[in-house]
Amino acid sequence: MNQTYAVAAVTAVVLATVLIGALGLRVSRTTSDFYVASRTVRPALNAAAISGEYLSAASFLGIAGLVLVQGPAMLWYPVGYTAGYLVLLVLVAAPLRRSGAYTLSDFAEARLESPQARRLASLFVVGIGWLYLLPQLQGAGLTLEILTGAPDWVGGLLVALVVTGTVAAGGMRSITFVQAFQYWLKLTALLVPALFLLAAWYGDGAPRARFDAPAVLRGHTVVTVADTVRIGLDEPLTLTVTGSVDSVPYAHRTLTLAPGTHHVLAGTSLAFAPGTPLPERAVSGTDPLGWSQPLAGGRDGHQLYATYGLILATFLGTMGLPHVAVRFYTSPHGRAARRTTLVVLGLVGAFYLLPPLYGALGRIYAPELALTGSADAAVLVLPDRILGGLLGDLLGALLAGGAFAAFLSTASGLTMSVAGVLTQDVLPSRGVRHFRLATLLATAVPLAVGVAASKVPVADAVGLAFAVSASSFCPLLVLGIWWRRLTPPGAMAGLLLGGGSALAAVMATRAGLAPEGWPHTLMAWPAVWSVPLGFLTMVLVSLATPRRIPPGTPALLARLHLPEEITGRAGEAAGLLPAQDPRAPAPGGPPEVRR
């Protein structure tokens, strides 16, 4: 890939982000503008902005990488990501907007009338936000490393600086315009190259991508293994080795490996002849990819369970993502929130038709990425592999710009939501100035962790955030909106047991502490048991504490389920509900002041 074109594309995306953010800053006049865009964002603009921040590094790079490595079983990722908005539309979107809250922490306090529940919800908002931010920054580092050869921390630092500046300067009003622009840029960046790549593939007469047999290298290929790995062979394999295989050093020596499992030391180069079947990477709990077992075609017999865990996490986790929930507070009313969600379903569904195409083409033209652990780079390298020349360079640059837009848009939404919670519940003041300080903390922590932590597939890392969200905020939102008997002890117990157990399982699996077999599978895909645990705990503890039902529950549920024009007039007349000025600040938020 031509570095000049790629760097120019990334620079253009960064400059466009800054300029559009500056436009939002010019129209941002009040604190309400800053935090919730004065709750005046119309469905079309809001849907594009939501889609822009939702389609993250996992969508742009990660899904293609997983399809390349693991095959069509990974199509459950885009299905779950899209279907999650259907659940959000039916159960949560309109009531959440009518709650008048600004963050999930505000909703927890308003529904449960408990400062303790608010603080616990804030911990989960920050934890999920940081868990989601980490792969965005790592993906940016991978992209810039491929484009320029820069150290992998440079891309993450660049994204953190741009996002912090945009969010701190203009708040929600600015990032709304930025994210809407970035959605259309990402869609264009995937669609245009895909048309050229498919045309070239069809004209090339290349074989179809097969996932029931090892990929075959089309030309002479040299693979340098970044991490020590195990490869499994069903037949003898002849290759040239420079490095260490099975603890034996070789210096550009041709040898034949017998069937079985072989250890390849980090830094070893393997040269394959044309037509050689690519050996499969044999993953385990100690392998960097071992916590992400294939959902199909594996050897441990637990793939069906893992598939259900993935579906449940992505299907139910969407509603609890803090950067998604905060968007619905910017809608003018509940009807607009529903319309927004309906448009989002169409925009997200259209986008997710494209990444699997790149994964299938990567199986043909760049299969060695599955062995090196760099499968997330498939989208970026395919134009050069298939087309080459000036056209390949230009399309590769377009994809690089789209990838960076994915990192920037999602990181902006996450930073906004995490910084909002830090401002309200951690810092001593709730003003705009302290919010700007919170944005630094919101990006600094995952940036530091990303530098120290080993790289993981971005789609899988995001999937872990979905599992924690589905196990904590999904039960809280569904029961808080639709069950009047929910109590503060029940909600907090459910958050701790459901969300806490999912988070602990995620961290233990990521650290390589999960034993092989069923323990590893249960901890790597916790949503199957952690989501029911969260619901069941909230219900049982609430039934055991009936006297702790908040006294304001009937009035709040009326607000959640009745149109605003009814609850506004009736509630004000009865003295139960405060008037809802569309330009008023969120409950618990900063006072309305001119900036």
Side-chain angles (χ1 to χ4, degrees):
M1 182 185 299
N2 188 296
Q3 292 186 0
T4 303
Y5 294 142
V7 171
V10 171
T11 303
V13 170
V14 171
L15 290 178
T17 298
V18 173
L19 291 175
I20 297 174
L23 173 64
L25 175 61
R26 294 190 63 182
V27 299
S28 182
R29 298 287 181 239
T30 66
T31 303
S32 184
D33 279 334
F34 195 87
Y35 282 92
V36 289
S38 292
R39 305 185 194 274
T40 58
V41 184
R42 298 299 174 183
L45 177 61
N46 212 12
I50 290 174
S51 302
E53 71 176 354
Y54 185 64
L55 298 170
S56 64
S59 301
F60 201 94
L61 299 179
I63 290 175
L66 289 179
V67 170
L68 185 156
V69 176
Q70 301 183 21
M74 290 295 97
L75 294 178
W76 281 117
Y77 268 102
V79 169
Y81 288 155
T82 306
Y85 270 98
L86 184 61
V87 182
L88 190 66
L89 171 66
V90 174
L91 297 178
V92 173
L96 196 61
R97 166 58 188 90
R98 296 188 190 113
S99 70
Y102 161 59
T103 65
L104 290 172
S105 304
D106 289 333
F107 174 83
E109 183 179 30
R111 174 63 179 85
L112 301 170
E113 301 178 20
S114 168
Q116 293 81 7
R118 177 194 180 90
R119 286 193 287 269
L120 183 59
S122 296
L123 289 176
F124 277 94
V125 168
V126 173
I128 293 171
W130 281 343
L131 194 61
Y132 209 138
L133 263 171
L134 178 60
Q136 311 309 314
L137 301 180
Q138 289 190 338
L142 170 68
T143 301
L144 208 62
E145 182 180 13
I146 292 172
L147 299 179
T148 67
D152 55 12
W153 56 267
V154 175
L157 178 61
L158 176 60
V159 168
L161 291 175
V162 174
V163 165
T164 301
T166 303
V167 174
M172 183 62 77
R173 183 73 75 179
S174 287
I175 67 171
T176 296
F177 294 123
V178 168
Q179 290 169 339
F181 158 75
Q182 287 168 338
Y183 167 77
W184 295 109
L185 174 61
K186 285 184 284 189
L187 183 63
T188 302
L190 278 183
L191 178 60
V192 173
L195 297 177
F196 283 93
L197 296 177
L198 287 174
W201 165 74
Y202 182 79
D204 186 33
R208 293 184 179 181
R210 294 189 60 190
F211 300 102
D212 57 349
V216 176
L217 298 167
R218 306 184 73 217
H220 181 270
T221 305
V222 178
V223 176
T224 300
V225 178
D227 300 301
T228 299
V229 297
R230 297 188 306 160
I231 57 175
L233 302 178
D234 296 325
E235 298 178 355
L237 174 65
T238 300
L239 72 169
T240 301
V241 178
T242 301
S244 179
V245 176
D246 295 332
S247 301
V248 178
Y250 300 97
H252 197 69
R253 178 178 171 184
T254 300
L255 67 153
T256 300
L257 300 179
T261 301
H262 300 273
H263 293 261
V264 182
L265 191 66
T268 298
S269 294
L270 308 176
F272 300 93
T276 302
L278 184 73
E280 294 185 359
R281 181 167 180 160
V283 294
S284 65
T286 58
D287 187 278
L289 300 182
W291 58 285
S292 174
Q293 295 283 358
L295 302 191
R299 299 184 177 89
D300 60 10
H302 307 152
Q303 289 75 30
L304 183 61
Y305 169 88
T307 300
Y308 284 124
L310 168 62
I311 295 172
L312 199 61
T314 54
F315 193 68
L316 298 179
T318 301
M319 70 177 68
L321 296 177
H323 66 303
V324 171
V326 73
R327 271 279 160 207
F328 291 96
Y329 306 135
T330 65
S331 297
H333 41 70
R335 190 183 308 110
R338 286 196 302 271
R339 290 175 180 172
T340 297
T341 310
L342 203 57
V343 177
V344 168
L345 276 169
L347 296 179
V348 170
F351 181 92
Y352 278 132
L353 294 174
L354 299 172
L357 295 177
Y358 285 85
L361 291 173
R363 184 76 174 180
I364 301 171
Y365 292 97
E368 76 281 359
L369 297 178
L371 182 60
T372 63
S374 301
D376 290 332
V379 171
L380 301 173
V381 304
L382 279 175
D384 184 60
R385 295 288 180 89
I386 299 177
L387 299 169
L390 178 61
L391 180 60
D393 290 338
L394 293 175
L395 293 178
L398 179 59
L399 285 166
F404 239 76
F407 309 138
L408 291 170
S409 58
T410 301
S412 297
L414 289 166
T415 300
M416 184 77 199
S417 58
V418 172
V421 169
L422 292 176
T423 303
Q424 295 189 49
D425 299 317
V426 177
L427 298 181
S429 174
R430 297 178 177 180
V432 171
R433 183 167 60 88
H434 285 81
F435 175 87
R436 288 169 173 160
L437 293 176
T439 59
L440 294 173
L441 181 60
T443 55
V445 171
L447 180 63
V449 173
V451 172
S454 61
K455 299 297 181 292
V456 298
V458 290
D460 279 333
V462 169
L464 299 179
F466 271 76
V468 177
S469 171
S471 306
S472 55
F473 286 121
C474 172
L476 177 65
L477 288 171
V478 172
L479 295 178
I481 291 172
W482 297 99
W483 192 47
R484 65 177 59 247
R485 300 179 68 180
L486 182 67
T487 65
M492 289 189 289
L495 283 173
L496 286 173
L497 283 181
S501 60
L503 183 61
V506 164
M507 294 295 102
T509 308
R510 181 66 193 94
L513 301 179
E516 292 292 330
W518 269 111
H520 179 276
T521 306
L522 290 170
M523 296 176 71
W525 307 97
V528 172
W529 54 268
S530 59
V531 172
L533 179 62
F535 272 102
L536 187 62
T537 302
M538 287 191 186
V539 170
L540 293 180
V541 176
S542 294
L543 292 176
T545 55
R547 296 184 179 181
R548 299 291 302 276
I549 296 176
T553 297
L556 183 63
L557 291 181
R559 168 182 285 184
L560 297 182
H561 295 288
L562 294 176
E564 286 88 341
E565 56 270 19
I566 296 177
T567 58
R569 290 195 298 267
E572 292 174 50
L576 296 174
L577 300 175
Q580 289 201 64
D581 180 354
R583 296 187 63 83
E592 181 72 13
V593 294
R594 292 284 171 180
R595 296 173 55 233

